[in-house]
Amino acid sequence: MRLVIAHLYPAEMNIYGDTGNVIALSRRLEWRGIDAVVERIAVGDPYDFTAADVVVAGGGEDRAQLAVAADLQRRAGDIREAVAAGTVFLTICGTYQLFGHRFVTHDGDEMPGIGVFDLETHGGDERMIGNIVLDTEWGPLVGFENHSGRTFLGEGQQPLGMVRKGYGNNERDFDEGAVAANAFGSYLHGALLPKNPAFADELLRRALVQRHGDDAVLGPLDDGVERAAADAAATRP
Ligand code: GLN
């Protein structure tokens, strides 16, 4: 068995350790004897998203997002089709913002998004920084956030979770991230998946079922070190 992990924009969108999400997914497959193939996709590279089982993209500063936003527009139809077909996506911070309808930066630059999630983002005056803890359907998630963008969900848009500690999408609503089919968006860096193994496995389980059917099983792993890392981060400011 094998899964293909497509890493979108590894050079442009990789802050606060976001590449750790790709490493965590690959290792958790390999530890169970499942091959992980990682494909790196840069701005301008042709890519057929039907080949990917999990698509991962990280965060980046406003300037990096400008180049990525234009590239995403060219892939918008393909990505929306892949989401509709059930491909698993994990988009963090800068890419999460561009999976909404639009991002208007603090300087007034307007970047169109690709509308996978029903949300929009506006650059604010204050940065929302620190360790963050959410309650989600898949248990608590612990991460690190650092963004000035304030994201507002459309009515009916499901969040990833509710904020127990930190800011999340904005400083007002206590929601964090977004979910549409098997596509997830979040502000949580850290990286997210190494510290949240149950959520990493949720993504892998969905991808395995999509590609290999219901009898694909993920055996248990010893997550003691990962849980200790999450507990340590959760108690820090
Ligand atoms: N530039 C965006 C913001 O500050 C995203 C930053 C990030 O990816 N950490 O809102």
Side-chain angles (χ1 to χ4, degrees):
M1 249 194 263
R2 80 202 262 274
L3 285 185
V4 174
I5 300 167
H7 189 184
L8 258 183
Y9 313 128
E12 297 86 350
M13 304 297 275
N14 171 34
I15 49 176
Y16 313 117
D18 285 341
T19 296
N21 291 327
V22 175
I23 298 170
L25 291 172
S26 311
R27 291 290 179 277
R28 296 185 75 77
L29 288 171
E30 287 161 7
W31 288 334
R32 284 135 160 163
I34 301 169
D35 289 336
V37 178
V38 176
E39 292 174 346
R40 293 160 58 89
I41 307 153
V43 166
D45 285 353
Y47 192 69
D48 172 7
F49 283 91
T50 61
D53 296 299
V54 187
V55 181
V56 181
E61 296 310 330
D62 294 6
R63 213 162 349 111
Q65 281 176 279
L66 279 168
V68 163
D71 190 77
L72 271 180
Q73 284 305 314
R74 291 187 283 273
R75 305 182 195 270
D78 291 349
I79 291 178
R80 283 197 297 257
E81 265 175 44
V83 172
T87 304
V88 175
F89 281 74
L90 176 66
T91 59
I92 303 295
C93 202
T95 322
Y96 162 51
Q97 294 170 341
L98 296 174
F99 268 51
H101 298 302
R102 62 189 186 127
F103 173 34
V104 184
T105 69
H106 188 249
D107 298 335
D109 288 319
E110 176 160 347
M111 297 177 222
I114 61 170
V116 167
F117 303 121
D118 179 17
L119 58 85
E120 61 177 62
T121 303
H122 295 262
D125 293 330
E126 266 176 62
R127 293 198 77 78
M128 292 167 259
I129 307 179
N131 285 297
I132 167 168
V133 183
L134 315 179
D135 291 309
T136 77
E137 269 177 56
W138 307 279
L141 293 182
V142 180
F144 171 75
E145 63 182 328
N146 184 355
H147 53 106
S148 65
R150 304 162 72 229
T151 295
F152 297 95
L153 303 183
E155 219 176 291
Q157 171 61 62
Q158 185 193 340
L160 174 62
M162 298 308 288
V163 175
R164 199 195 294 175
K165 169 185 155 177
Y167 298 92
N169 283 329
N170 57 65
E171 75 293 350
R172 185 194 82 182
D173 294 331
F174 299 104
D175 53 27
E176 204 291 316
V179 183
N182 287 334
F184 297 85
S186 176
Y187 275 110
L188 271 61
H189 303 278
L192 173 64
L193 297 184
K195 283 208 287 259
N196 296 282
F199 186 59
D201 281 354
E202 175 68 25
L203 302 185
L204 292 176
R205 202 169 294 114
R206 288 177 185 226
L208 280 171
V209 168
Q210 283 286 122
R211 184 68 68 185
H212 298 287
D214 277 338
D215 32 75
V217 279
L218 275 180
L221 295 173
D222 176 0
D223 291 327
V225 172
E226 289 82 349
R227 288 215 199 88
D231 290 346
T235 56
R236 291 195 189 145

Coordinates of all heavy atoms in Angstrom, one line a residue, residues 128-201:
M128 N -1.9 38.2 16.3 CA -2.4 37.3 17.3 C -1.3 36.2 17.4 O -1.1 35.4 16.5 CB -3.7 36.7 16.8 CG -4.8 37.8 16.8 SD -6.3 37.3 16.0 CE -6.1 38.3 14.5
I129 N -0.6 36.2 18.5 CA 0.6 35.4 18.7 C 0.5 34.5 20.0 O 0.1 35.0 21.0 CB 1.8 36.2 18.8 CG1 1.9 37.2 17.6 CG2 3.1 35.4 18.8 CD1 3.1 38.1 17.7
G130 N 0.9 33.3 19.9 CA 1.0 32.5 21.1 C 0.6 31.0 20.9 O 0.1 30.6 19.8
N131 N 0.8 30.2 21.9 CA 0.3 28.9 21.9 C -1.2 28.9 22.0 O -1.8 29.7 22.6 CB 0.9 28.0 23.0 CG 2.4 27.7 22.7 OD1 2.7 27.0 21.7 ND2 3.3 28.3 23.5
I132 N -1.8 27.9 21.3 CA -3.3 27.9 21.2 C -3.8 26.5 21.4 O -3.2 25.6 21.0 CB -3.8 28.5 19.8 CG1 -5.2 28.3 19.5 CG2 -2.9 28.0 18.6 CD1 -5.8 29.1 18.3
V133 N -5.0 26.4 22.1 CA -5.6 25.1 22.3 C -7.0 25.1 21.8 O -7.8 26.1 22.2 CB -5.5 24.7 23.8 CG1 -6.1 23.3 24.0 CG2 -4.1 24.8 24.3
L134 N -7.4 24.1 21.0 CA -8.8 24.1 20.5 C -9.5 22.8 21.0 O -8.8 21.8 21.2 CB -8.8 23.9 19.0 CG -7.9 24.7 18.1 CD1 -8.2 24.3 16.7 CD2 -8.3 26.2 18.3
D135 N -10.8 22.8 21.1 CA -11.6 21.6 21.2 C -12.2 21.3 19.9 O -12.8 22.2 19.3 CB -12.7 21.8 22.3 CG -12.1 22.0 23.7 OD1 -11.3 21.1 24.1 OD2 -12.4 23.0 24.3
T136 N -12.0 20.1 19.4 CA -12.5 19.6 18.1 C -13.2 18.3 18.3 O -13.0 17.6 19.3 CB -11.4 19.5 17.1 OG1 -10.7 18.3 17.3 CG2 -10.4 20.7 17.1
E137 N -13.8 17.9 17.2 CA -14.4 16.5 17.2 C -13.4 15.4 17.4 O -13.7 14.3 17.7 CB -15.0 16.3 15.7 CG -16.4 16.7 15.5 CD -16.7 16.4 14.1 OE1 -16.6 15.3 13.6 OE2 -17.2 17.4 13.4
W138 N -12.1 15.8 17.0 CA -11.1 14.8 17.1 C -10.2 14.9 18.4 O -9.1 14.5 18.4 CB -10.2 14.8 15.8 CG -11.1 14.8 14.6 CD1 -11.6 13.6 14.1 CD2 -11.7 15.9 13.9 NE1 -12.5 14.0 13.1 CE2 -12.5 15.3 12.9 CE3 -11.6 17.2 14.0 CZ2 -13.3 16.1 12.0 CZ3 -12.3 18.0 13.1 CH2 -13.1 17.4 12.1
G139 N -10.8 15.6 19.4 CA -10.0 15.8 20.6 C -9.4 17.2 20.6 O -9.5 17.9 19.6
P140 N -8.7 17.5 21.7 CA -8.0 18.8 21.7 C -6.9 18.9 20.7 O -6.2 17.9 20.4 CB -7.5 19.0 23.1 CG -7.6 17.6 23.7 CD -8.5 16.8 22.9
L141 N -6.7 20.1 20.1 CA -5.5 20.3 19.2 C -4.7 21.5 19.8 O -5.3 22.5 20.3 CB -6.0 20.8 17.8 CG -6.7 19.7 16.9 CD1 -7.0 20.3 15.6 CD2 -5.9 18.5 16.8
V142 N -3.4 21.3 19.8 CA -2.5 22.3 20.4 C -1.6 22.8 19.2 O -1.1 22.0 18.5 CB -1.6 21.6 21.5 CG1 -0.7 22.6 22.1 CG2 -2.5 21.0 22.6
G143 N -1.3 24.1 19.2 CA -0.5 24.6 18.1 C 0.0 26.0 18.5 O -0.1 26.4 19.7
F144 N 0.7 26.7 17.6 CA 1.2 28.0 17.8 C 0.6 28.9 16.6 O 0.7 28.5 15.5 CB 2.7 27.9 17.7 CG 3.4 29.3 17.7 CD1 3.5 30.1 18.8 CD2 3.9 29.8 16.5 CE1 4.0 31.3 18.8 CE2 4.5 31.1 16.5 CZ 4.5 31.8 17.6
E145 N 0.1 30.0 17.0 CA -0.4 30.9 16.0 C 0.3 32.2 15.9 O 0.9 32.7 17.0 CB -1.9 31.2 16.2 CG -2.2 31.9 17.5 CD -3.7 32.1 17.8 OE1 -4.5 32.3 16.8 OE2 -4.1 32.1 18.9
N146 N 0.4 32.8 14.8 CA 1.1 34.1 14.6 C 0.6 34.7 13.3 O 1.0 34.4 12.2 CB 2.6 34.0 14.5 CG 3.3 35.4 14.5 OD1 2.6 36.4 14.4 ND2 4.6 35.4 14.5
H147 N -0.5 35.5 13.4 CA -1.1 36.1 12.2 C -1.7 37.5 12.5 O -2.1 37.7 13.7 CB -2.2 35.2 11.6 CG -3.2 34.7 12.6 ND1 -4.5 35.2 12.6 CD2 -3.2 33.9 13.7 CE1 -5.2 34.6 13.6 NE2 -4.4 33.8 14.2
S148 N -1.8 38.3 11.5 CA -2.5 39.6 11.7 C -3.8 39.5 11.0 O -4.7 40.3 11.2 CB -1.7 40.8 11.2 OG -1.5 40.7 9.8
G149 N -3.9 38.5 10.0 CA -5.2 38.3 9.3 C -6.3 37.9 10.3 O -6.1 37.0 11.2
R150 N -7.5 38.5 10.2 CA -8.7 38.1 11.0 C -9.6 37.5 10.0 O -10.1 38.1 9.0 CB -9.3 39.3 11.6 CG -8.3 40.1 12.5 CD -8.8 41.5 12.7 NE -9.9 41.6 13.7 CZ -11.0 42.3 13.4 NH1 -11.2 42.9 12.3 NH2 -12.0 42.3 14.4
T151 N -10.0 36.2 10.3 CA -10.8 35.4 9.4 C -12.2 35.3 9.9 O -12.4 35.0 11.1 CB -10.2 34.0 9.2 OG1 -8.9 34.2 8.6 CG2 -11.0 33.1 8.4
F152 N -13.2 35.6 9.0 CA -14.6 35.5 9.4 C -15.3 34.4 8.6 O -15.2 34.5 7.3 CB -15.2 36.8 9.3 CG -14.6 37.9 10.2 CD1 -13.6 38.7 9.7 CD2 -15.0 38.0 11.5 CE1 -13.0 39.6 10.5 CE2 -14.4 38.9 12.3 CZ -13.4 39.7 11.9
L153 N -15.9 33.5 9.2 CA -16.6 32.4 8.6 C -17.9 32.8 8.1 O -18.6 33.5 8.8 CB -16.7 31.2 9.5 CG -15.5 30.6 10.2 CD1 -15.8 29.4 11.0 CD2 -14.4 30.2 9.1
G154 N -18.3 32.3 6.9 CA -19.7 32.5 6.4 C -20.6 31.7 7.2 O -20.2 30.8 7.9
E155 N -21.9 32.1 7.2 CA -22.9 31.4 7.9 C -23.0 30.0 7.4 O -23.0 29.7 6.2 CB -24.3 32.0 7.7 CG -25.1 32.1 8.9 CD -26.4 32.9 8.6 OE1 -26.3 34.1 8.4 OE2 -27.4 32.2 8.6
G156 N -22.9 29.0 8.3 CA -23.0 27.6 7.8 C -21.6 27.0 7.6 O -21.5 25.8 7.3
Q157 N -20.5 27.8 7.6 CA -19.2 27.2 7.4 C -18.8 26.6 8.7 O -18.7 27.2 9.8 CB -18.2 28.3 7.0 CG -16.7 27.9 7.0 CD -16.4 26.7 6.0 OE1 -16.6 26.8 4.9 NE2 -16.0 25.5 6.6
Q158 N -18.5 25.3 8.6 CA -18.1 24.6 9.9 C -16.6 24.9 10.2 O -15.7 24.9 9.4 CB -18.1 23.1 9.6 CG -17.9 22.2 10.8 CD -17.6 20.7 10.4 OE1 -18.0 20.3 9.3 NE2 -17.0 20.0 11.3
P159 N -16.4 25.3 11.5 CA -15.0 25.6 11.9 C -14.3 24.3 12.2 O -15.0 23.2 12.4 CB -15.2 26.4 13.2 CG -16.5 26.0 13.8 CD -17.4 25.6 12.6
L160 N -13.0 24.3 12.3 CA -12.2 23.1 12.8 C -12.5 22.9 14.2 O -12.6 21.7 14.7 CB -10.7 23.3 12.5 CG -9.8 22.3 13.0 CD1 -10.1 20.9 12.3 CD2 -8.3 22.7 12.7
G161 N -12.6 23.9 15.0 CA -12.8 23.7 16.5 C -13.1 25.1 17.1 O -13.2 26.1 16.5
M162 N -13.3 25.0 18.5 CA -13.6 26.2 19.2 C -12.4 26.4 20.1 O -11.8 25.5 20.7 CB -14.8 26.0 20.1 CG -16.1 25.7 19.2 SD -16.4 27.0 17.9 CE -16.9 28.4 18.9
V163 N -12.0 27.7 20.3 CA -10.8 28.1 21.0 C -11.0 28.0 22.5 O -11.9 28.5 23.1 CB -10.4 29.5 20.6 CG1 -9.2 30.0 21.4 CG2 -10.1 29.6 19.1
R164 N -10.1 27.2 23.1 CA -10.1 27.2 24.6 C -9.1 28.2 25.1 O -9.2 28.8 26.1 CB -9.7 25.8 25.0 CG -10.0 25.4 26.4 CD -9.3 24.2 26.9 NE -9.7 22.9 26.2 CZ -9.0 21.8 26.5 NH1 -8.1 21.7 27.3 NH2 -9.4 20.7 25.8
K165 N -8.0 28.3 24.4 CA -6.9 29.3 24.8 C -6.3 29.9 23.5 O -6.0 29.1 22.6 CB -5.9 28.5 25.6 CG -4.6 29.3 25.8 CD -3.6 28.4 26.5 CE -2.2 28.9 26.3 NZ -1.2 28.1 26.9
G166 N -6.1 31.2 23.4 CA -5.6 31.8 22.2 C -6.6 32.6 21.5 O -7.6 33.0 22.1
Y167 N -6.4 32.8 20.2 CA -7.3 33.7 19.4 C -8.1 32.9 18.3 O -9.3 32.9 18.3 CB -6.5 34.8 18.6 CG -5.8 35.7 19.5 CD1 -4.5 35.5 19.9 CD2 -6.4 36.9 20.0 CE1 -3.8 36.3 20.8 CE2 -5.7 37.7 20.9 CZ -4.4 37.5 21.2 OH -3.8 38.3 22.1
G168 N -7.4 32.2 17.4 CA -8.1 31.4 16.4 C -8.4 32.3 15.2 O -7.6 33.2 14.8
N169 N -9.6 32.1 14.6 CA -9.9 32.9 13.3 C -9.8 34.4 13.5 O -9.4 35.1 12.6 CB -11.2 32.5 12.8 CG -11.2 31.1 12.1 OD1 -10.2 30.7 11.6 ND2 -12.3 30.4 12.2
N170 N -10.3 34.8 14.6 CA -10.2 36.3 14.9 C -10.3 36.4 16.5 O -10.5 35.4 17.2 CB -11.3 37.0 14.2 CG -12.7 36.5 14.5 OD1 -13.1 36.6 15.7 ND2 -13.4 35.9 13.6
E171 N -10.3 37.6 17.0 CA -10.3 37.8 18.4 C -11.7 37.8 19.0 O -11.9 38.0 20.2 CB -9.5 39.1 18.8 CG -10.2 40.4 18.5 CD -10.4 40.7 17.1 OE1 -9.9 40.0 16.2 OE2 -11.2 41.6 16.8
R172 N -12.7 37.6 18.2 CA -14.1 37.9 18.6 C -15.0 36.6 18.7 O -15.8 36.5 19.5 CB -14.7 38.8 17.5 CG -16.0 39.4 17.7 CD -16.6 40.0 16.5 NE -17.1 39.0 15.6 CZ -17.6 39.3 14.4 NH1 -17.6 40.6 13.9 NH2 -18.1 38.4 13.6
D173 N -14.8 35.7 17.7 CA -15.8 34.6 17.6 C -15.4 33.3 18.3 O -16.3 32.4 18.4 CB -16.0 34.3 16.1 CG -16.6 35.4 15.3 OD1 -17.3 36.2 16.0 OD2 -16.3 35.6 14.1
F174 N -14.2 33.1 18.7 CA -13.8 31.9 19.4 C -13.8 30.6 18.6 O -13.7 29.5 19.1 CB -14.6 31.6 20.7 CG -14.4 32.8 21.7 CD1 -15.4 33.7 21.9 CD2 -13.2 32.9 22.5 CE1 -15.3 34.7 22.8 CE2 -13.1 34.0 23.3 CZ -14.1 34.9 23.5
D175 N -14.0 30.8 17.2 CA -13.9 29.6 16.4 C -12.5 29.6 15.7 O -11.8 30.6 15.7 CB -15.0 29.6 15.3 CG -15.1 30.8 14.5 OD1 -14.1 31.6 14.3 OD2 -16.2 31.1 14.0
E176 N -12.1 28.5 15.3 CA -10.7 28.3 14.6 C -10.8 27.4 13.5 O -11.4 26.3 13.5 CB -9.7 27.8 15.7 CG -8.3 28.1 15.3 CD -7.7 27.5 14.1 OE1 -7.9 26.2 13.9 OE2 -7.0 28.2 13.3
G177 N -10.2 27.8 12.3 CA -10.1 27.0 11.2 C -11.4 26.7 10.5 O -12.4 27.4 10.8
A178 N -11.4 25.8 9.5 CA -12.6 25.5 8.7 C -12.4 24.1 8.2 O -11.3 23.6 8.0 CB -12.7 26.5 7.6
V179 N -13.6 23.5 7.9 CA -13.6 22.1 7.4 C -14.7 22.1 6.3 O -15.8 22.6 6.4 CB -14.1 21.1 8.5 CG1 -14.0 19.7 7.9 CG2 -13.2 21.2 9.7
A180 N -14.3 21.5 5.1 CA -15.2 21.3 4.0 C -14.9 19.9 3.4 O -13.8 19.8 2.9 CB -15.1 22.4 3.0
A181 N -15.8 19.0 3.4 CA -15.5 17.6 3.0 C -14.3 17.1 3.7 O -14.2 17.2 5.0 CB -15.4 17.5 1.5
N182 N -13.2 16.7 3.0 CA -12.0 16.3 3.7 C -10.9 17.4 3.6 O -9.7 17.0 3.8 CB -11.5 15.0 3.0 CG -12.3 13.8 3.3 OD1 -13.0 13.8 4.4 ND2 -12.4 12.8 2.5
A183 N -11.3 18.6 3.4 CA -10.4 19.7 3.4 C -10.4 20.5 4.7 O -11.5 20.8 5.2 CB -10.7 20.7 2.2
F184 N -9.2 20.7 5.3 CA -9.1 21.3 6.6 C -8.2 22.5 6.5 O -7.2 22.5 5.8 CB -8.5 20.4 7.6 CG -9.3 19.1 7.9 CD1 -9.1 18.0 7.1 CD2 -10.2 19.1 9.0 CE1 -9.9 16.9 7.3 CE2 -10.9 17.9 9.2 CZ -10.8 16.8 8.4
G185 N -8.6 23.6 7.1 CA -7.8 24.8 7.2 C -7.6 25.2 8.6 O -8.6 25.0 9.4
S186 N -6.5 25.8 9.0 CA -6.2 26.1 10.4 C -5.1 27.2 10.5 O -4.2 27.2 9.6 CB -5.8 24.9 11.1 OG -5.4 25.2 12.5
Y187 N -5.1 27.9 11.5 CA -4.0 28.8 11.8 C -2.9 28.2 12.6 O -1.9 28.8 12.9 CB -4.5 30.1 12.6 CG -5.0 31.2 11.7 CD1 -6.4 31.5 11.7 CD2 -4.1 31.9 10.9 CE1 -6.8 32.5 10.8 CE2 -4.6 32.9 10.1 CZ -6.0 33.2 10.0 OH -6.4 34.2 9.2
L188 N -3.1 26.9 13.0 CA -2.1 26.3 13.9 C -0.8 25.8 13.2 O -0.8 24.9 12.4 CB -2.8 25.1 14.6 CG -3.5 25.5 15.9 CD1 -4.6 26.4 15.7 CD2 -4.0 24.2 16.6
H189 N 0.3 26.5 13.6 CA 1.6 26.0 13.2 C 2.1 25.2 14.4 O 1.4 24.9 15.3 CB 2.6 27.2 13.0 CG 2.2 28.2 12.1 ND1 2.4 28.1 10.7 CD2 1.6 29.5 12.2 CE1 2.0 29.2 10.1 NE2 1.5 30.1 11.0
G190 N 3.4 24.9 14.3 CA 4.0 24.3 15.5 C 5.1 23.2 15.3 O 5.9 23.1 16.1
A191 N 5.0 22.3 14.4 CA 4.0 22.1 13.4 C 2.7 21.4 14.1 O 2.9 20.8 15.1 CB 4.5 21.3 12.3
L192 N 1.6 21.5 13.4 CA 0.4 21.0 14.0 C 0.4 19.5 14.1 O 0.1 18.9 15.2 CB -0.8 21.4 13.0 CG -2.1 20.8 13.3 CD1 -2.7 21.2 14.6 CD2 -3.1 21.2 12.2
L193 N 0.7 18.7 13.1 CA 0.5 17.3 13.1 C 1.5 16.5 14.0 O 1.1 15.5 14.7 CB 0.5 16.7 11.7 CG -0.6 17.2 10.8 CD1 -0.5 16.5 9.4 CD2 -2.0 17.0 11.4
P194 N 2.8 16.9 14.1 CA 3.6 16.1 15.0 C 3.1 16.2 16.5 O 3.3 15.2 17.2 CB 5.0 16.8 14.9 CG 5.0 17.5 13.6 CD 3.5 17.9 13.4
K195 N 2.5 17.3 16.9 CA 2.0 17.4 18.2 C 0.6 16.9 18.4 O 0.1 16.9 19.6 CB 2.0 18.9 18.6 CG 3.4 19.5 18.9 CD 3.3 20.6 19.9 CE 2.8 21.9 19.3 NZ 3.9 22.8 18.9
N196 N -0.1 16.6 17.4 CA -1.5 16.1 17.5 C -1.7 14.9 16.7 O -2.3 14.8 15.6 CB -2.4 17.3 16.9 CG -2.3 18.5 17.8 OD1 -2.8 18.6 18.9 ND2 -1.5 19.5 17.3
P197 N -1.1 13.7 17.2 CA -1.1 12.5 16.4 C -2.5 11.9 16.1 O -2.6 11.4 15.0 CB -0.3 11.5 17.3 CG -0.3 12.1 18.7 CD -0.4 13.6 18.5
A198 N -3.5 12.2 17.0 CA -4.8 11.6 16.7 C -5.4 12.3 15.4 O -6.0 11.7 14.6 CB -5.7 11.8 17.8
F199 N -5.1 13.6 15.3 CA -5.6 14.4 14.1 C -4.8 14.0 12.9 O -5.4 13.8 11.8 CB -5.5 15.9 14.4 CG -6.1 16.7 13.3 CD1 -7.4 16.6 13.0 CD2 -5.3 17.6 12.6 CE1 -8.0 17.3 12.0 CE2 -5.9 18.4 11.6 CZ -7.2 18.3 11.3
A200 N -3.5 13.7 13.0 CA -2.7 13.3 11.9 C -3.3 11.9 11.4 O -3.4 11.7 10.2 CB -1.2 13.1 12.3
D201 N -3.6 11.0 12.3 CA -4.2 9.8 11.9 C -5.6 9.9 11.3 O -6.0 9.1 10.4 CB -4.2 8.8 13.1 CG -2.9 8.2 13.4 OD1 -1.9 8.4 12.6 OD2 -2.7 7.5 14.4

